[in-house]
Amino acid sequence: MCDTCGCSSSIGSPEHRHVLSSLGLGREPASETIDVGMKILLKNNECASWNRARFDERGVLVVNLIGSPGCGKTTIIEAMARRLKEKMVVIEGDVRTRRDTERVIRAGSRAFQIETNGACHLDAHGIRHALENVELDGCQIVVIENVGNLVCPAAYELGEHQKAAILSLPEGDDKVLKYPALFYRIGTLLINKIDLAPYMEFNFYKAVEECKSLNKNFRAFSVSGKTGEGVDEFCGYLREQANKGGAMR
Amino acid sequence: MRTVFAMHELSLMDSVFDLIAPKVRDPGKLVAVYVTVGPLSGVCADSLLFGFDLLAEERGFDHAKLVVERTSALVWCEACGREYESGDLSQGCPSCGALRRMVLSGDEFTVDGIEMEV
């Protein structure tokens, strides 16, 4: 028996599922247990629901775009901006700098920068604050470009209609099952930098099948933010979803 | 202006403390906090532990410990029909090895209860 947490397996064995903090050892007082039964991200998710209600009032489709640093999030958004112009508004998330906002504005869409100053992901409160300053008139699609990261953004609802994850060819086709919490939650998989296909060994079938092993509710698009290949199709899909009313995973 | 924690498990522990606060009459009498973390929650259980150790004392929970139950994902194998628990979704079905499957659960991230000294 584990004599620290009282479970029947020994510490270190695969069955030992309890992890304890270093505080509180050595005392066994008489105690009572009080039920709590709450989701820890409750406050974030309530704020996300509020954000979503504001977006739905305006009839805009909101996509939370997630991917590693350098996978091509901003380049894809620039390609979308050249096509969608004032119909897209972008909320940019980065630890520091306004670089991505400036790129998007030059490409033709309105953009608003959130600098997290250290946080590794955007959260619903950051988006709520951004909504006080973002002009959504005439826009059909909002893209939230999350902080470059395949890990942390997965857990945080922002008020989006769906998460879109980018996996680029140079990153390799074996990444989906390394980041299951993200790919489990996405509505769109964007396989990017397909212009590099002649120089990369990337098995598209493997990447998509691994994603299907976690998630039955996503669409896959092969794109190149650089050449624009596949971007028309992706924009067409988003406009179709926006026209349907935006409600989806 | 709200506090932003640089490490996000600190901010998650802060949320846990906010959620339990109404039920804790005397912080010095909190003995344990029980949390469930699933493999698809997107949260690192060990980092929660670290966050708990950093924040608990400053909130007056001097005698408390964090108990994390790590659940498994419940999976249905599409190839052979077996239902199984998986702690590692990079592995296929324990019966037939297939990755063709449907994930039924695994994204839990809850604070389930607290233990108070009486």
Side-chain angles (χ1 to χ4, degrees), chain A residues 31-78:
Chain A
S31 63
E32 60 166 351
T33 303
I34 301 170
D35 286 339
V36 177
M38 299 177 88
K39 292 186 177 179
I40 293 169
L41 285 161
L42 177 68
K43 205 165 112 181
N44 181 81
N45 294 348
E46 283 176 344
C47 183
S49 294
W50 188 93
N51 294 342
R52 171 70 173 266
R54 303 289 78 72
F55 289 128
D56 285 342
E57 277 166 8
R58 307 299 293 268
V60 297
L61 176 77
V62 184
V63 177
N64 179 0
L65 189 62
I66 298 171
S68 299
C71 72
K73 295 182 292 301
T74 312
T75 304
I76 287 176
I77 290 173
E78 285 174 303

Side-chain angles (χ1 to χ4, degrees), chain A residues 33-40, chain B residues 16 18-24 32-34 110-115:
Chain A
T33 303
I34 301 170
D35 286 339
V36 177
M38 299 177 88
K39 292 186 177 179
I40 293 169
Chain B
V16 170
D18 285 346
L19 289 171
I20 68 174
K23 300 188 188 259
V24 178
V33 181
Y34 294 90
T110 53
V111 51
D112 306 311
I114 58 174
E115 202 175 318

